[in-house]
Amino acid sequence: MAQSRQLRLGAFMRPASIHTGAWRYPGAWPDANFNFPRLRRLAQTLERARFDAFFMADHLAVLNMPLEALKRSHTATSFEPFTLLSALAGATEHIGLVATASTTFDEAYHIARRFASLDHISGGRAGWNVVTTSNPDAALNFGLTDHVDHDERYRRAREFYDVVTGLWDSWADDAFIRDVESGIFFDPARMHVLDHKGEHLSVRGPLNIARPVQGWPVIVQAGSSEAGRQLAAETAEAVFTAPATLADGRRFYADVKGRMEKLGRDRDHMKILPACFVVVGDTLEEAKAKRARLDSLVHYDSAIASLSVALGHDASRFDPDGPLPPVPETNQSKSGRERAIQLAEREGLTVRQLAQRLGGYAGLAIVGTPASIADTMEEWLFTEGSDGFNIMFPYLPGGLDDFAEKVVPVLQDRGLFRRDYEGTTLRENLGLPRPANRFF
Amino acid sequence: MAQSRQLRLGAFMRPASIHTGAWRYPGAWPDANFNFPRLRRLAQTLERARFDAFFMADHLAVLNMPLEALKRSHTATSFEPFTLLSALAGATEHIGLVATASTTFDEAYHIARRFASLDHISGGRAGWNVVTTSNPDAALNFGLTDHVDHDERYRRAREFYDVVTGLWDSWADDAFIRDVESGIFFDPARMHVLDHKGEHLSVRGPLNIARPVQGWPVIVQAGSSEAGRQLAAETAEAVFTAPATLADGRRFYADVKGRMEKLGRDRDHMKILPACFVVVGDTLEEAKAKRARLDSLVHYDSAIASLSVALGHDASRFDPDGPLPPVPETNQSKSGRERAIQLAEREGLTVRQLAQRLGGYAGLAIVGTPASIADTMEEWLFTEGSDGFNIMFPYLPGGLDDFAEKVVPVLQDRGLFRRDYEGTTLRENLGLPRPANRFF
């Protein structure tokens, strides 16, 4: 197999583990999500393993789940992305730092400025995960009683992107001459006043910080709707997706890369990185046992609530230790019901096991040995299912250490993953071009 | 003299040096204001010298000065406060980190969250300099064509403060129990939903981060107007002021501490820290020569513009090397004219020297030997002129190193300044109480 195609690996680190049972796993840190020295240690391990990026999802509210489930969740609270990633910038040298920031509930000038500042402080390692924020609870924290409509949010996001990138281009790369002799600090001819007046935003500029080291921090997105895919094709350089299967992944990959080409963009200038939950064992049985153990730590109250939502049917009266009984079809959640039934059949799960799987993490997962995990990743990479993955760890630090120490060396031995960082910036490591300044 | 009263020292670090000529001083770093490794080195020096806090002023626009002056200014651009201070949090252990954030151009939920996050990451070292942002250029960067009126800004600021502190109290200090055995991560009875609906803000809560280490980050203010003083008396725990003389300082001190007592607050629960530009020499003559050298590096074009503004009269036709000629009184800037004329007479300055003083830094300054500087500070401290100072350094790193290495030991020998930090948090070091949670 050709060695030229390389995996890109992000680490999905908010929550530090997505699995609801993670904090209760034997040996795990219950406070991994909210303890700076521990997050610093994890970031440093990821950097030694040559990960491309530390990725921080974000929420602008306490997660909207029933209190009975919320009180059992280690994800209820978290650090704010810019403060955490800036602190990690000082404790790492190579790994990319991708912060989620909302185009609906923040100001373009603030966002442009913070990413530029993070990019300078980190020596060119910042990435912006552009989100439009679909959580209606967030609106209530920002003075709105109704959530902003989906299409409206995407139109604003597109304009917001134009303004932020325009502000990043406020200064030519060579604007700051700092000539001690003549006393000229910058060349005013190399400063641009944006003076944007659009449908949603009115922003004068210039930005009060020099152009970012990377020109622009790397643009990341995760939207999967029609509007989300189109915005990604127009603007994104990395996309985080959540396909359920390789076939799903390939459809998404072909669709979005096709849209890029129609827009005249080079398809290699976007890296598609599905979210993937990885459980490593020395044998397949050990890996499966780890996952079963982890799922068993999801409290039954939370678990059965998740199963009921998936089925569109109250599952609380089912025998927890029996097989899933026949469930009538309802108008709600057809695909969720179908997937749950298939999952129970495929793996022979009891009601309890099925509920705990859904209440833990039910998305794309690779559970196996380092070799079998590498096999699966290789298949995705070479059949255009993805350009790499955004890895979710089952518990911390063990699940992350297992990936770093056992899976990464196998990927490296197969020539699928770097042994050293290619460059000094996130953009260079991902193989993305540095954007030209549109004004100079 | 009693040894109980202790100086509190902040370092005014945005810009890293306020003096317009700083970046051109022999041996200075021209990029000190915008180079993370250099700022880290300065913060570490300040910490070794036991400074209370690294203070970052802020502007939400490129400074509004004439382009001819702006292009010669090292303060035109800067890092964003939260990203810089978070990165410094990882590189220091004791020094307080005070960020300026605007109540006019930001959201209360964002501000509450970022300061809480910085406070957790730094182990309790965050402070919030509450500003209402009077720069009209800032409004243009945030979708507003007219600047918000002064009284309106202060009414919003008061409500904003209530919301931010209310959000910080969203969780009891003991809410997060993380009981692995029972699977309870937090106690829902120890979470409070703010549900604020006021004149300017509507914010539901709860905040998605635990209560700050300090309960609340230290509240700092700098307003000197009637509304600013009253807000400070009601809410502030540290106040940065800009008196021109000790008499000014004492009037402000008596006024604001008196207001506090009327409100039932303990006068020791606010530290008043005037901004003070300090130039250190081994002799008085050397200190004066350093300042004259520094002033001489202010370009004459910038300098004469500053003098013209101060006099309310075009000074560009005056003989630069002659004495200040008689200047007719105008309706503009009476106090500025008066101060400039007095300064020229008192120090026997030529037009050029006067212009360069005004174009460099014309506020409160102490220029002298370590002993004479300590004398002056002691006088302020013991005559209720202040509780300490917010020090501005003339150039970097030399001006800061001189203060740390030469002045601080004298202050310590006199028992006026700590040899070791008193506690682990900014609040403990400043001698401020930890606020009770209003809901638990």
Side-chain angles (χ1 to χ4, degrees), chain B residues 261-283:
Chain B
E261 288 182 329
K262 274 191 202 141
L263 292 161
R265 288 185 68 198
D266 182 330
R267 60 195 275 125
D268 289 338
H269 293 171
M270 177 202 288
K271 307 301 168 187
I272 295 183
L273 308 173
C276 182
F277 185 76
V278 180
V279 185
V280 186
D282 291 331
T283 62

Side-chain angles (χ1 to χ4, degrees), chain B residues 277-420:
Chain B
F277 185 76
V278 180
V279 185
V280 186
D282 291 331
T283 62
L284 179 60
E285 290 63 40
E286 191 199 19
K288 285 184 171 173
K290 282 183 177 181
R291 188 184 206 189
R293 176 71 182 265
L294 189 59
D295 285 351
S296 78
L297 296 169
V298 179
H299 195 278
Y300 195 66
D301 291 354
S302 306
I304 208 68
S306 301
L307 178 58
S308 298
V309 168
L311 297 174
H313 184 92
D314 179 10
S316 64
R317 296 193 196 165
F318 295 167
D319 172 11
D321 299 308
L324 186 66
V327 181
E329 204 170 323
T330 68
N331 282 330
Q332 309 163 255
S333 191
K334 279 189 192 172
S335 61
R337 175 179 169 279
E338 203 62 31
R339 273 200 301 270
I341 292 170
Q342 284 170 3
L343 175 62
E345 279 174 9
R346 192 169 61 239
E347 301 197 20
L349 303 176
T350 63
V351 166
R352 184 193 307 276
Q353 288 167 333
L354 176 63
Q356 286 176 325
R357 172 69 58 82
L358 297 173
Y361 181 72
L364 178 67
I366 311 181
V367 180
T369 64
S372 74
I373 292 166
D375 290 343
T376 305
M377 292 191 164
E378 196 165 351
E379 187 183 6
W380 280 72
L381 182 65
F382 286 98
T383 62
E384 300 210 323
S386 75
D387 298 306
F389 295 92
N390 202 19
I391 309 292
M392 297 167 155
F393 304 102
Y395 45 86
L396 298 158
L400 185 150
D401 290 348
D402 283 347
F403 191 94
E405 293 162 12
K406 297 178 180 180
V407 180
V408 167
V410 174
L411 297 174
Q412 289 170 331
D413 288 346
R414 294 189 188 187
L416 296 172
F417 191 58
R418 69 170 67 84
R419 289 183 189 276
D420 284 299

